[in-house]
Amino acid sequence: MAHSIARATLGLTHPNQIEAHKISFAAKEIDLVEWKGDILAVGATEKDLARDENSKFQNPILQKLDSKLAGLLSEASSEEDFSGKSGQSTVLRLPGLGSKRIALVGLGSSVSSTAAYRSLGEAVAAAAKSAQASNIAVALASTDGLSAESKLSSASAIVTGAALGIFEDNRFKSESKKPTLKSLDILGLGTGPEIEKKLKYAEDVCAGVIFCRELVNAPANVLTPAVLAEEAKKIASTYSDVLSANILDVEQCKELKMGSYLAVGEASANPPHFIHLCYKPTGGEIKKKLALVGKGLTFDSGGYNIKTGPGCLIELMKFDMGGSAAVLGAAKALGQIKPAGVEVHFIVAACENMISGTGMRPGDVVTASNGKTIEVNNTDAEGRLTLADALVYACNQGVEKIVDLATLTGACIVALGPSIAGVFTPSDDLAKEVAAASEVSGEKLWRMPLEESYWDTMTSGVADMVNTGGRQGGAIVAALFLKQFVDEKVQWMHIDLAGPVWNDKKKNATGFGVSTLVEWVLKNSTN
């Protein structure tokens, strides 16, 4: 065990203890020209930017601001060629308002999506960073056609975009700037307990997303299976009124006959840790029992089928625990939100896939905890081996529905690209539930077929199955493999998030999955 602890500080690297940045969010009804602060940001569609024959705004809000600024806003926005297109933004320093700067942010031809309002929040965060602003207000040029519910969801999306946009993971940098943003006011979308509750919910979910990002960003020499288990225990300790933790060591996993999972971790100096958090509300009847299962490979070398060649992404394999990070991020958020009527099990079979004399070899046969045997024809298809025992364990908790999340296949990235996760389930009802949750969260999912005939490629001559088929339909075959370890009475979904777990441009984790999971759990609660 001493060796394991030493491995956690390999390279003498420890994350800096950075206090979580707090932003005060509030919904207010204040005349835009009267608001005082650093930046007043106005989200405008292309339609809002329509002009009359004198090149003046026709939109009443932009008209009012322009009038207060003696026509400088219309003049400056024309010079900046700002037309309200999606992705456009311009920040102007104009005297005459209570705010030091005014920002115009394009929302596209029309606004109906969560993503558009989140982008507005992200643009506002970028402006705040650039100007080192402390106080910002955000308003929409037009709220016509927005229902009361749409106003709530729009405000929530703006806050989410801003909170996640302002976040920077500086724990492993020797020097870093602290964010200056202290408050963000949402103007013109209503006030009162309903919107305040919605903003608080957005904050809680963002805390889970940020935690997820930090876990995925942490290098494998810092975030070992033991450290991941410690982070899970900290969540349970922080929200001990609703969360409890049970961490199984190798011997306990042997007693449960988890041969598939343990085989993957055999080669590592850092022993496996099986994580089980359980959420139970403080009172009331439990009507639904759910499980969230996350793949937890803190590093994946590929084993004896070592990852080699261009595009193998071995240097990014710290993100192979992205599924577990999403699950633990959801646990953190739900510990704050505390939904009623639902019990949730958060399950992670954490380990490393390394190479040594004790390691799993191609051709080995391993036995999962449900008694099924697997011929390992590729040691780099290890995530499904860990999930096999995790899924059996989840079914044994008496749950009705399971969602597993995993950075499982490169094939899914080939099929759906870097920003869409693949969804596999035999249950149409569960597919609809999770799709509805993702509509609210703004995360992109696409349901893929579970083509049973493809299972023919998984035949073994010496065991019940092999762990990989051919190259074709790789993501589908991987999902079919997982299906062998789920009780038929349990509704189950597999989400392959190998693409959207990481933002290549920003070289950072995205926190993908947390928002959708939290929404889904709430849809199953009595709140």
Side-chain angles (χ1 to χ4, degrees):
M1 199 60 186
H3 191 45
S4 171
I5 292 167
R7 289 282 298 159
T9 56
L10 180 71
L12 306 181
T13 301
H14 296 272
N16 296 321
Q17 296 302 312
I18 297 174
E19 199 173 324
H21 182 64
K22 292 286 186 187
I23 304 169
S24 170
F25 297 102
K28 296 179 179 178
E29 284 294 349
I30 300 174
D31 192 325
L32 269 63
V33 297
E34 301 299 328
W35 182 84
K36 289 181 171 57
D38 294 322
I39 301 175
L40 171 65
V42 182
T45 65
E46 291 175 48
K47 184 182 174 183
D48 295 329
L49 269 293
R51 315 241 179 171
D52 61 20
E53 63 276 6
N54 298 315
S55 297
K56 297 295 182 184
F57 295 120
Q58 293 179 335
N59 176 274
I61 287 178
L62 294 179
Q63 209 176 67
K64 187 174 186 180
L65 287 168
D66 197 35
S67 174
K68 185 76 175 176
L69 293 165
L72 285 174
L73 183 61
S74 58
E75 192 178 311
S77 61
S78 288
E79 287 176 4
E80 294 287 326
D81 201 24
F82 181 83
S83 60
K85 287 180 181 174
S86 180
Q88 272 192 327
S89 64
T90 184
V91 181
L92 307 166
R93 184 151 193 162
L94 300 173
L97 291 176
S99 60
K100 294 176 185 175
R101 292 175 175 84
I102 183 164
L104 294 176
V105 181
L107 298 174
S109 56
S110 62
V111 183
S112 57
S113 69
T114 302
Y117 292 117
R118 275 188 69 162
S119 295
L120 170 56
E122 287 166 8
V124 164
K129 282 180 186 177
S130 178
Q132 294 189 303
S134 297
N135 317 103
I136 285 185
V138 184
L140 300 179
S142 176
T143 56
D144 295 345
L146 285 183
S147 64
E149 184 58 38
S150 294
K151 287 181 179 180
L152 291 177
S153 58
S154 303
S156 174
I158 293 166
V159 162
T160 299
L164 298 180
I166 210 75
F167 168 73
E168 287 183 14
D169 192 349
N170 295 317
R171 294 168 301 154
F172 300 100
K173 293 181 179 179
S174 56
E175 291 181 18
S176 60
K177 286 182 181 178
K178 288 184 178 178
T180 56
L181 186 61
K182 294 177 181 175
S183 70
L184 190 151
D185 295 336
I186 304 289
L187 307 182
L189 291 176
T191 58
E194 278 298 307
I195 195 166
E196 295 296 340
K197 184 181 176 184
K198 197 76 174 176
L199 298 187
K200 175 65 169 65
Y201 171 75
E203 282 187 76
D204 291 341
V205 174
C206 286
V209 174
I210 287 169
F211 179 64
C212 172
R213 286 182 178 182
E214 289 180 332
L215 289 178
V216 178
N217 283 338
N221 63 319
V222 171
L223 190 82
T224 62
V227 173
L228 187 63
E230 282 301 316
E231 291 296 332
K233 282 161 71 174
K234 283 180 195 173
I235 298 170
S237 173
T238 304
Y239 308 105
S240 57
D241 56 331
V242 289
L243 280 168
S244 59
N246 184 24
I247 311 297
L248 307 182
D249 61 20
V250 170
E251 290 307 312
Q252 290 169 302
C253 291
K254 282 181 181 176
E255 286 172 22
L256 293 173
K257 297 183 167 45
M258 294 183 177
S260 183
Y261 160 50
L262 292 174
V264 177
E266 279 290 352
S268 177
N270 294 305
H273 286 68
F274 193 93
I275 300 163
H276 178 198
L277 299 186
C278 181
Y279 170 89
K280 288 186 179 178
T282 50
E285 182 189 353
I286 291 171
K287 295 182 179 178
K288 296 276 177 66
K289 290 188 178 183
L290 314 174
L292 302 176
V293 178
K295 177 183 170 184
L297 267 292
T298 56
F299 186 76
D300 175 24
S301 70
Y304 278 103
N305 292 104
I306 192 166
K307 294 177 185 290
T308 57
C312 72
L313 302 180
I314 192 170
E315 73 283 1
L316 284 177
M317 281 303 114
K318 65 179 184 178
F319 77 35
D320 213 19
M321 39 62 69
S324 67
V327 165
L328 296 179
K332 180 180 177 69
L334 291 165
Q336 293 172 301
I337 296 163
K338 302 184 187 352
V342 64
E343 178 178 305
V344 190
H345 297 266
F346 308 87
I347 295 163
V348 175
C351 63
E352 281 187 328
N353 186 24
M354 302 295 281
I355 299 173
S356 79
T358 62
M360 175 176 68
R361 294 151 295 222
D364 284 357
V365 175
V366 300
T367 307
S369 47
N370 65 347
K372 292 189 178 182
T373 57
I374 306 153
E375 181 186 0
V376 180
N377 60 1
N378 190 329
T379 61
D380 193 24
E382 83 304 324
R384 64 197 70 181
L385 296 175
T386 68
L387 287 168
D389 282 325
L391 288 167
V392 172
Y393 183 92
C395 290
N396 290 339
Q397 306 310 306
V399 300
E400 302 152 59
K401 304 174 188 179
I402 298 173
V403 173
D404 82 66
L405 299 94
T407 48
L408 207 63
T409 66
C412 205
I413 306 176
V414 172
L416 297 175
S419 60
I420 305 170
V423 167
F424 304 80
T425 179
S427 169
D428 291 342
D429 289 341
L430 186 54
K432 286 173 186 172
E433 281 184 19
V434 176
S438 73
E439 282 290 320
V440 177
S441 72
E443 294 179 324
K444 294 178 182 177
L445 306 178
W446 190 262
R447 190 178 181 185
M448 303 281 276
L450 271 175
E451 179 54 55
E452 292 288 346
S453 66
Y454 290 4
W455 185 247
D456 292 347
T457 64
M458 300 292 278
T459 304
S460 166
V462 295
D464 294 332
M465 66 194 86
V466 290
N467 70 324
T468 64
R471 284 175 61 85
Q472 296 178 333
I476 297 171
V477 173
L480 289 170
F481 178 91
L482 297 180
K483 188 170 177 276
Q484 311 308 307
F485 303 92
V486 180
D487 192 311
E488 287 184 0
K489 296 174 185 173
V490 177
Q491 290 185 54
W492 158 77
M493 172 182 284
H494 162 59
I495 300 177
D496 192 331
L497 42 69
V501 73
W502 189 257
N503 185 318
D504 232 11
K505 189 178 178 182
K506 295 180 180 177
K507 295 178 170 42
N508 250 274
T510 60
F512 188 93
V514 175
S515 302
T516 298
L517 291 182
V518 174
E519 280 291 335
W520 178 65
V521 169
L522 260 68
K523 285 179 184 296
N524 279 274
S525 79
T526 54
N527 275 2

